[in-house]
Amino acid sequence: MNSFDFLIQQELKKIHSQNRYRFLKEPLGYDFSSNDYLGLSQNEFLKEKLKEGIQIYGCGSSASRLIRGHRKVFEEVESLFADFVNSESSLFLANGYLANLGLLDLLGKFNAKFFCDRLNHASILDGIRLSHKEVRYYKHLDYKGLENLLQKENSNTLKVIVSETIFSMDGDKVDIQKLVELKEKYSCILVLDE
């Protein structure tokens, strides 16, 4: 056994001894520990509509939307959703992780400084890291701590408060009104992950 294999085996033994070894599990229906919160992955209506979509559009986009993967149906869905939420427009992405990566990296291009709840989802933390901009973390749901950080910030950088609305790992709810008040008081941008 070479030294790398030995190191791997030692680490696996350590993980087993600490009862931290994880196994893959088949889903047993939907539950709140998955991303299938509402059980939509097994909804018969949606499964039929997906089959219809495959017959019309095929099994993949063939490229990114900017290259050759755009479909008129994407625009239609985005327009319907914008109307539904009374917004000027909307943009659908493959998943929320990509949305956070893209948005936070983009905001970093404007020389942003981020103010981030310590328990934000990994997609938020990764998006901020990807931006290579400064970040100030505040204790989970500690609005006074956040305000203290904002008060100390006297630079002319774009200040961005980033939070989940309902924290996906433990279900805590953010006080959106309090974040809006801080956003307005300190001239920040507020990014909420819903």
Side-chain angles (χ1 to χ4, degrees):
M1 181 182 314
N2 68 39
S3 59
F4 181 70
D5 288 340
F6 178 76
L7 290 173
I8 296 295
Q9 292 305 317
Q10 291 302 108
E11 188 62 23
L12 285 172
K13 284 180 188 176
K14 180 177 150 187
I15 291 169
H16 275 285
S17 72
Q18 297 170 341
N19 291 321
R20 294 185 316 139
Y21 190 81
R22 298 178 70 175
F23 300 90
L24 298 176
K25 300 173 192 170
E26 288 284 330
L28 300 173
Y30 66 93
D31 61 48
F32 293 115
S33 68
S34 74
N35 288 332
D36 192 15
Y37 308 121
L38 302 175
L40 297 178
S41 70
Q42 297 304 313
N43 180 281
E44 292 302 323
F45 175 79
L46 292 177
K47 290 195 289 189
E48 285 305 314
K49 290 298 178 186
L50 283 170
K51 289 176 191 174
E52 288 177 28
I54 288 171
Q55 293 305 314
I56 297 168
Y57 303 108
C59 293
S61 65
S62 73
S64 71
R65 282 178 77 175
L66 288 175
I67 306 295
R68 295 273 299 141
H70 179 69
R71 304 285 186 271
K72 185 72 174 160
V73 70
F74 298 162
E75 284 179 43
E76 292 168 2
V77 167
E78 290 168 342
S79 179
L80 284 170
F81 185 78
D83 289 345
F84 177 70
V85 297
N86 196 27
S87 174
E88 183 179 314
S89 63
S90 73
L91 178 65
F92 273 43
L93 297 168
N95 56 53
Y97 199 97
L98 290 176
N100 282 333
L101 285 182
L103 175 61
L104 297 170
D105 183 40
L106 172 69
L107 289 173
K109 307 272 189 270
F110 296 99
N111 199 28
K113 182 175 283 188
F114 295 97
F115 296 84
C116 182
D117 188 296
R118 282 215 178 267
L119 293 187
N120 275 336
H121 190 269
S123 61
I124 293 172
L125 304 178
D126 288 348
I128 291 171
R129 272 193 289 272
L130 186 63
S131 77
H132 299 290
K133 296 300 177 190
E134 278 189 68
V135 59
R136 300 283 186 259
Y137 296 98
Y138 58 93
K139 290 180 185 173
H140 182 51
L141 301 179
D142 181 3
Y143 308 110
K144 188 66 181 158
L146 170 58
E147 185 164 17
N148 289 338
L149 290 173
L150 292 168
Q151 285 172 342
K152 293 176 187 174
E153 185 54 47
N154 58 11
S155 69
N156 290 329
T157 61
L158 178 67
K159 295 181 286 292
V160 181
I161 301 169
V162 187
S163 179
E164 293 183 61
T165 56
I166 298 178
F167 285 79
S168 58
M169 296 307 289
D170 55 14
D172 290 344
K173 294 178 185 175
V174 75
D175 184 341
I176 294 174
Q177 185 57 45
K178 185 64 179 168
L179 290 182
V180 169
E181 290 169 12
L182 291 171
K183 165 214 174 296
E184 291 174 356
K185 183 175 180 180
Y186 295 97
S187 300
C188 302
I189 288 177
L190 175 60
V191 174
L192 294 174
D193 179 352
E194 294 199 287

